[in-house]
Amino acid sequence: MLSTAKRVVNRIIGNPEQTVTTITTETYLKGIVKDPRHGAVKYLISLFPIFGWITRYNLGWLTGDLIAGLTVGMVLVPQGMSYAILASLPAQYGLYSSFVGVLVYCFFATSKDVSIGPVAVMSQTVAQIIIAVDAQYPGKWAGPLIATTLAFVCGFIVLGIGLLRIGWIVEFIPVPAVSGYMTGSAINIVAGQVPALMGITGFSTRAATYEVIINTLKGLPGTKLDAAWGLTGLFSLYAIRIMCDHLSKRYPRRARLFFFISVARNAFVVIVLTLASWLYCRHRKTASGKYPIAILETVPAGFQNVGAPVIDSELVKALGPQIPVATIILLLEHIAIARSFGRVNGYKINPNQELIAIGVTNTLGTIFHAYPATGSFSRSALKSKSGVRTPLAGIFTAMVVIVALYGLTPAFYWIPSAGLSAVIIHAVADLVASPSQAFSYWRVSPLEFLIWLAAVLVTVFSSIENGIYTSISASFALLLVRVAHPRGYFLGKVTLTRNSTESREVFVPLRKDDVTNQYVKVDPPTPGVIVYRFEESYLYPNCAIINSVIVDHVRENMRRGIDFSTIKMADRPWNDPGPTRGNSLSAEAANNEKPALHAIVLDFSGVSQIDTTSVQALVDTRNEVQKWADRPVEVSRSHPTTLPS
């Protein structure tokens, strides 16, 4: 009875009655997780890469990490405060984010070079998000609370992506797309900082880039005394950099010395501008408490109100539309930087672990009221060139930030705002893609160059958010087009002869346009045989196109099996009526000259995936060509080494 019921069920679902060797569900699951307990322990240990190298830490590593950590710290302090101002936050919040970023990252990092902390693009985005939320809910939440909540939510999302090991999603965004919105964002930031550099006021610097540029040009006659500090600082930063680069090439033996002099230019320029600001402004305070130039003024010492973050659910809802763009920036910028330095310095990063590091950094950072932080390209490059050996260098950078936060805040009072704008412009200008880099995108892939250009233009004429969405949407569209329109070739034979006795045949594209050497003679395969090579996976988005290509080739080059001259017009199908009565004889003669179709060989060597829809498409292809040939046609797949002669 049971066996009868089993046969009936198998017949209903189409399962063959004879025994077929298949893999069971139990075997499949055991292949994925061979030892669950060991896998769980291995997973937990992998969350802390520091355990893999800390036991081998030595004095040589310590020296390199100490130099790199202190060097990055000197740059991070002025940059952190500058980026906090860019984010519409008090300067101390930049130091909070700087401290947490460099300290926490070293425990979770798989890159020794990356430096986590405030960055220009993220800071500009935070400023725009604060403006958007405040416009919707005027005065309900303070800017620091909005920024801290954003860091917590985005950090939690990125942490979840890393823990679930789905960091591969960042692979869908190509380099030109990232470079495009980074270039547009850099232009946006520079345009917004020029008015502060010149002391020009009276308009919003958060508007579209082109509007800011126009308003800045209009406001040039109203330039204030701040320009003396801003322009001097910007000129000094570039002058020191160019001079040190020139001297390093002229005196290679002292290149290391000139490198560290160049590194210290941010701190040196800020100190000199601060001293000049103190000398000029200390006795020029007006009755209303203002100074002749904009200065930083009071920066609270130490960490203020350290404790568990207060997350307002209503604020989280208000941040909802802004969370995707902030999360994307955290993901893309950091992974792009980490991979870049891993490739340059000969090591491989773990994208999922890097996302965990970013997630933990931003989530724990809310305890110190930090705002979103991610990888910084300029500081990472500096860290790499300084000779860093391990991620532990972040601890020494954190020490520099702590010293500044607890011991130098009284001196921060006199830092001119124009000087901080000079620091921002100097750092961000390097994010703009060079003409040679943009031209390389055009040479390699014109379509990707257009994505880069679209991202730049949308960012400049609209906003950073729209620029990011444009680059991602265009990248996905291009990917879908490439998947849906795969490359494929009909193959012919080329005979290769080593000497008079040894020769062999290889299969290459039949069209001369697809062969690199135009002088190579490509012979078609045996008459009646078609060989087609797939260059992509054969899946549901592209199977219909490939079906059309093969069927159209058969109809154009192979003999029709049905003689239409013997069929009345009324009996012919409406969609394939065949030749008309007047030219039926000539058409039939031309048809008889073509070879009869015997076989179609499909080269699947480049196919890694196949699905149900594509299998059905193969069946449909076979049916269509057999109907054309009016005879059975063998359709088989083969490797190039076994293709028929």
Side-chain angles (χ1 to χ4, degrees):
M1 184 68 180
L2 184 62
S3 60
T4 303
K6 186 175 181 180
R7 285 197 302 272
V8 172
V9 171
N10 286 336
R11 190 172 300 172
I12 292 174
I13 65 176
N15 191 35
E17 295 185 5
Q18 63 270 25
T19 302
V20 179
T21 304
T22 58
I23 184 171
T24 64
T25 304
E26 181 181 1
T27 305
Y28 176 76
L29 293 176
K30 285 183 177 180
I32 297 176
V33 184
K34 297 180 180 179
D35 187 351
R37 182 178 300 178
H38 180 266
V41 173
K42 184 179 179 181
Y43 174 77
L44 292 175
I45 294 176
S46 69
L47 297 179
F48 300 92
I50 190 173
F51 294 142
W53 52 266
I54 193 64
T55 55
R56 296 178 282 112
Y57 203 79
N58 53 66
L59 185 61
W61 291 2
L62 176 62
T63 303
D65 289 345
L66 179 61
I67 295 173
L70 297 178
T71 303
V72 173
M74 288 191 296
V75 176
L76 180 57
V77 171
Q79 276 193 2
M81 293 190 294
S82 302
Y83 291 150
I85 301 297
L86 177 62
S88 302
L89 300 172
Q92 63 269 22
Y93 285 88
L95 298 179
Y96 299 161
S97 296
S98 301
F99 170 77
V100 177
V102 294
L103 180 64
V104 175
Y105 179 70
C106 69
F107 295 98
F108 300 90
T110 59
S111 171
K112 67 180 179 65
D113 299 295
V114 175
S115 177
I116 302 296
V119 295
V121 178
M122 190 74 245
S123 298
Q124 180 80 337
T125 304
V126 169
Q128 293 177 348
I129 291 174
I130 291 175
I131 292 172
V133 173
D134 191 60
Q136 188 176 3
Y137 302 91
K140 189 168 185 177
W141 298 291
L145 179 60
I146 296 174
T148 300
T149 303
L150 180 68
F152 180 84
V153 175
C154 293
F156 190 79
I157 293 173
V158 175
L159 176 61
I161 293 174
L163 291 174
L164 294 174
R165 295 296 194 254
I166 54 176
W168 47 265
I169 59 175
V170 300
E171 306 292 346
F172 287 95
I173 313 300
V175 171
V178 178
S179 174
Y181 90 79
M182 291 290 288
T183 298
S185 300
I187 297 172
N188 181 291
I189 294 168
V190 170
Q193 289 303 303
V194 169
L197 186 82
M198 307 286 290
I200 302 172
T201 57
F203 60 91
S204 173
T205 58
R206 307 295 181 185
T209 306
Y210 76 97
E211 294 180 2
V212 175
I213 294 174
I214 293 173
N215 290 328
T216 300
L217 294 175
K218 290 180 179 179
L220 284 178
T223 301
K224 298 179 181 178
L225 190 60
D226 300 71
W229 275 261
L231 293 176
T232 301
L234 186 60
F235 174 80
S236 300
L237 288 170
Y238 277 105
I240 295 173
R241 175 179 173 179
I242 295 172
M243 181 184 66
C244 289
D245 290 344
H246 174 72
L247 293 176
S248 296
K249 295 177 181 178
R250 187 170 183 179
Y251 305 102
R253 294 183 179 180
R254 298 182 181 179
R256 190 74 171 169
L257 173 63
F258 293 126
F259 167 74
F260 284 107
I261 293 176
S262 178
V263 164
R265 65 184 181 274
N266 281 284
F268 172 75
V269 169
V270 170
I271 291 172
V272 172
L273 294 178
T274 303
L275 181 60
S277 172
W278 174 73
L279 291 173
Y280 182 79
C281 296
R282 56 178 176 156
H283 298 309
R284 288 180 170 84
K285 188 175 183 179
T286 64
S288 60
K290 295 184 178 180
Y291 293 95
I293 63 172
I295 59 176
L296 204 55
E297 300 190 23
T298 304
V299 177
F303 294 101
Q304 305 292 315
N305 304 319
V306 176
V310 179
I311 306 299
D312 188 337
S313 59
E314 190 176 354
L315 175 55
V316 174
K317 292 180 181 178
L319 287 171
Q322 316 294 337
I323 288 175
V325 66
T327 305
I328 290 170
I329 292 175
L330 288 181
L331 288 171
L332 293 185
E333 194 164 354
H334 179 80
I335 295 299
I337 292 170
R339 280 190 171 154
S340 174
F341 285 98
R343 183 171 59 252
V344 170
N345 295 314
Y347 61 86
K348 185 178 180 180
I349 68 158
N350 183 341
N352 290 309
Q353 185 59 35
E354 290 297 315
L355 295 181
I356 291 173
I358 287 293
V360 173
T361 297
N362 285 278
T363 304
L364 294 183
T366 56
I367 297 175
F368 298 89
H369 299 282
Y371 76 95
T374 188
S376 165
F377 183 83
S378 60
R379 295 194 298 271
S380 298
L382 175 61
K383 190 177 179 183
S384 177
K385 292 179 181 178
S386 298
V388 66
R389 303 299 298 275
T390 72
L392 202 67
I395 292 180
F396 301 112
T397 304
M399 292 179 181
V400 176
V401 177
I402 284 291
V403 170
L405 195 54
Y406 280 90
L408 300 179
T409 48
F412 295 160
Y413 184 94
W414 301 101
I415 295 178
S417 298
L420 294 180
S421 295
V423 172
I424 293 174
I425 293 173
H426 181 64
V428 170
D430 291 335
L431 297 179
V432 177
S434 64
S436 60
Q437 184 179 0
F439 183 62
S440 69
Y441 297 152
W442 172 261
R443 292 184 62 188
V444 174
S445 175
L447 291 177
E448 290 188 341
F449 170 79
L450 293 178
I451 293 176
W452 176 87
L453 184 62
V456 173
L457 294 178
V458 172
T459 304
V460 169
F461 288 96
S462 181
S463 65
I464 294 177
E465 179 180 3
N466 291 336
I468 291 175
Y469 290 148
T470 298
S471 62
I472 292 177
S473 300
S475 299
F476 272 106
L478 178 59
L479 177 64
L480 292 177
V481 168
R482 286 172 171 172
V483 171
H485 294 77
R487 290 187 303 174
Y489 306 102
F490 291 98
L491 302 184
K493 297 182 295 183
V494 172
T495 303
L496 301 180
T497 304
R498 176 177 295 182
N499 49 50
S500 58
T501 58
E502 295 183 16
S503 64
R504 65 187 183 93
E505 293 180 341
V506 296
F507 285 80
V508 298
L510 190 59
R511 289 197 319 167
K512 285 188 174 294
D513 295 341
D514 297 327
V515 180
T516 304
N517 191 336
Q518 60 178 338
Y519 299 105
V520 172
K521 181 183 179 183
V522 182
D523 298 319
T526 304
V529 176
I530 294 175
V531 184
Y532 186 81
R533 172 181 293 164
F534 298 88
E535 293 289 333
E536 306 282 349
S537 291
Y538 189 53
L539 301 170
Y540 67 92
N542 58 36
C543 60
I545 292 179
I546 295 177
N547 169 281
S548 299
V549 169
I550 295 176
V551 172
D552 291 346
H553 182 82
V554 168
R555 290 182 174 182
E556 183 179 353
N557 298 280
M558 296 295 158
R559 183 189 307 167
R560 183 199 291 264
I562 301 175
D563 184 2
F564 268 76
S565 62
T566 62
I567 302 176
K568 297 179 180 180
M569 292 296 294
D571 296 332
R572 298 181 185 183
W574 65 273
N575 60 337
D576 187 17
T580 59
R581 188 180 300 273
N583 62 356
S584 59
L585 294 178
S586 60
E588 189 64 27
N591 180 59
N592 291 332
E593 292 179 0
K594 298 177 182 179
L597 179 63
H598 296 285
I600 297 177
V601 181
L602 303 176
D603 179 4
F604 268 69
S605 60
V607 176
S608 60
Q609 299 286 338
I610 194 169
D611 60 18
T612 305
T613 306
S614 57
V615 171
Q616 182 60 48
L618 287 177
V619 175
D620 295 340
T621 301
R622 183 192 62 186
N623 293 337
E624 289 189 54
V625 298
Q626 287 185 157
K627 183 178 179 181
W628 174 267
D630 196 28
R631 58 181 297 171
V633 176
E634 181 182 356
V635 178
S636 61
R637 65 180 181 88
S638 179
H639 190 272
T641 57
T642 60
L643 293 177
S645 300

